[in-house]
Amino acid sequence: MSARSVMVLGTTSGAGKSWLTTALCRYYARQGLKVAPFKAQNMSNNARVVAGGEIGSAQYFQALAARAEPEVRMNPLLLKPEKDTQSQVILMGQVNAELSRMAWRGRSASVWPVVAQALDELLAENDVVVMEGAGSPAEINLKDSDIVNMRVAQHANAACLLVTDIDRGGAFAHLYGTWAMLDQAEQKLIRGFVLNKFRGDATLLAPGPQMLQDLTGVPTVATLPMWWQHGLPEEDGVFDATSVRSGAVTRTVAVIAYPRISNLDEFQPLKNVPGIHLKWVRSPAELIDADWIILPGSKHTSGDLAWLRAQGLDSAIAAHAGRGGAVLGICGGLQMLGEALIDPHGIDGNGPGLGLLPVVTLFDADKTVRHRRALFSSVGGAWSALSGVTVQGYEIHHGQTAAHSAMAAAGDVAHAVMSDGLAWQNGSGNVLGVYLHGLFEDPAVLQALFGASTPTLDSVFDGLADYIDKHFDAGVLDALIAPAPDRAA
């Protein structure tokens, strides 16, 4: 191993691990170092297509921040929850049916050699590997099967930062309790505590940081002020609290937030479009002021469709469409808008759709995972601005969708507005369904629909690096990649 490794651990999920890892990737890359991100195991339905298959979206963005080509070794194990007790297991970018059926604790022993090999290869090929943990490293009920936190840190002899969300309260207890539950050898890897999402007068923190250092020997190396608009998508949930844009609202876009929503990160650019109010919806009442309704991707289309009906959202969406309101379905959302879901292989489930698009979806045993460049043909009605626009996107789905012949015979015709069954429109033109993810990340689409552009990802990454450079204690970030101290010292 030649690379130095830095690892970001958290006291809880949502503490700030992902964005801090992304910021570190750009910080070290700007020093001319060859940098790669790594997360052994990610549990998320937000995924991106890369060379070799799919990885978690967070690692995809971290790779871009590191100025590296995203690839499957950066997230060798991806768990995509389908139910509360069931996930689809993606190993080195590909669906692994055997692991998906295996009990969680037994799975760890099977995948660790693959995880370790991927990490060792990245360490051998780079100057710095910036690693992200998952949840908390102090989950003592899971420690014997850990493959993502301290086992990884020890394998790479990583310099570890432990970050906590001080906005939730109890930050010092979270930091001390997490540190105290680690083994002595693991404690020695913790090089600094980070207080994230701080609001108020930082002088009021004293003497807490010094008392914590007296207890643990670990300094608090950064207090990061609350920062709503850092520009990265949220990884662990929707971004309700910061969805409202300043200034006059010209269009309200409502995204249905069903339980197994996937690829929600693709809507991040809409937050930066002037005049757009982006909100997440879980009840019919929240749709009253919507100009557009978007049905996003889903990791379990039939289950989320059942949830949608249970909330009464099916009737509200139908009423909106009946008034001529614009409706967009993306991937699983497209499948829901059709007449029926047909599942001969037991992939997702059979059932009737919402009937707003005269199409039918047949689920395949094989999963489609690929980048696509495609052209919108003649698009009518509410979505006519997309006519002739070439878009870049990606597909991640099992279903294949086609026009419903019986509906066509009755005069309700689905119009294919993109080749290969990638997009369909209803006769009146207000309902559109597409399989491509990433539409709103394409500058051509933003320009066509809104006449607007948004900040580039590169500027977002630079802003993150500038932010941590400003708020970390002087010399700390460079010291993390200094020659490793003797582990026995």
Side-chain angles (χ1 to χ4, degrees), residues 52-78:
E54 55 182 310
I55 63 173
S57 291
Q59 284 64 63
Y60 172 85
F61 288 117
Q62 288 161 6
L64 298 183
R67 297 177 176 148
E69 184 69 25
E71 46 127 325
V72 295
R73 292 182 301 175
M74 296 169 177
N75 176 209
L77 188 64
L78 174 62

Side-chain angles (χ1 to χ4, degrees), residues 185-468:
E186 297 168 341
Q187 290 175 346
K188 291 179 179 179
L189 296 177
I190 307 297
R191 299 278 290 277
F193 296 136
V194 177
L195 300 173
N196 188 31
K197 303 181 184 179
F198 180 75
R199 293 192 265 195
D201 181 359
T203 63
L204 298 178
L205 292 172
Q210 185 58 55
M211 294 173 68
L212 185 63
Q213 185 169 350
D214 292 342
L215 288 167
T216 65
V218 179
T220 297
V221 295
T223 300
L224 305 176
M226 180 70 77
W227 188 18
W228 292 113
Q229 297 296 336
H230 53 62
L232 280 181
E234 298 292 334
E235 187 191 20
D236 294 323
V238 297
F239 35 81
D240 299 88
T242 55
S243 298
V244 180
R245 296 290 298 161
S246 60
V249 174
T250 59
R251 184 175 298 152
T252 296
V253 178
V255 182
I256 307 299
Y258 21 75
R260 299 303 175 197
I261 186 173
S262 69
N263 298 80
L264 60 87
D265 51 294
E266 65 182 307
F267 301 108
Q268 173 71 25
L270 292 180
K271 293 175 64 180
N272 300 314
V273 175
I276 295 297
H277 172 201
L278 177 67
K279 66 177 186 175
W280 300 90
V281 168
R282 301 178 182 88
S283 70
E286 296 172 290
L287 288 177
I288 291 175
D289 64 343
D291 298 299
W292 288 5
I293 295 176
I294 298 179
L295 280 69
S298 166
K299 190 61 191 72
H300 197 266
T301 304
S302 64
D304 279 343
L305 184 54
W307 172 89
L308 186 149
R309 285 193 167 103
Q311 312 310 308
L313 283 163
D314 55 337
S315 298
I317 295 168
H320 175 85
R323 295 190 297 267
V327 179
L328 172 65
I330 300 175
C331 197
L334 158 62
Q335 296 167 354
M336 292 182 195
L337 288 173
E339 295 293 331
L341 306 174
I342 302 173
D343 186 14
H345 304 287
I347 300 297
D348 190 286
N350 297 291
L354 296 176
L356 297 180
L357 274 179
V359 296
V360 171
T361 295
L362 177 69
F363 287 102
D364 284 345
D366 294 331
K367 191 175 188 179
T368 300
V369 179
R370 59 185 174 183
H371 287 286
R372 290 300 297 268
R373 178 181 173 89
L375 172 71
F376 277 107
S377 56
S378 180
V379 187
W383 306 101
S384 59
L386 293 172
S387 294
V389 175
T390 299
V391 299
Q392 302 268 9
Y394 58 100
E395 293 179 77
I396 304 179
H397 59 91
H398 279 279
Q400 302 297 327
T401 300
H404 190 297
S405 56
M407 297 299 294
D412 192 1
V413 180
H415 303 280
V417 293
M418 194 176 280
S419 62
D420 300 327
L422 288 175
W424 300 88
Q425 188 173 33
N426 67 344
S428 58
N430 63 318
V431 180
L432 175 68
V434 299
Y435 264 121
L436 284 183
H437 289 286
L439 288 182
F440 298 117
E441 296 172 332
D442 190 309
V445 171
L446 292 180
Q447 186 63 40
L449 291 175
F450 310 111
S453 59
T454 63
T456 65
L457 275 174
D458 224 43
S459 67
V460 169
F461 298 145
D462 282 333
L464 294 174
D466 290 340
Y467 188 75
I468 61 172

Side-chain angles (χ1 to χ4, degrees), residues 63-121:
L64 298 183
R67 297 177 176 148
E69 184 69 25
E71 46 127 325
V72 295
R73 292 182 301 175
M74 296 169 177
N75 176 209
L77 188 64
L78 174 62
L79 309 180
K80 305 185 80 171
E82 297 176 319
K83 300 177 183 177
D84 288 347
T85 57
Q86 178 179 317
S87 294
Q88 184 182 66
V89 177
I90 313 293
L91 183 64
M92 294 299 284
Q94 300 297 317
V95 175
N96 189 302
E98 182 180 354
L99 289 174
S100 299
R101 292 189 295 267
M102 189 179 295
W104 187 85
R105 292 182 186 274
R107 184 191 303 151
S108 298
S110 299
V111 300
W112 172 250
V114 178
V115 167
Q117 180 179 344
L119 176 55
D120 287 343
E121 290 174 358

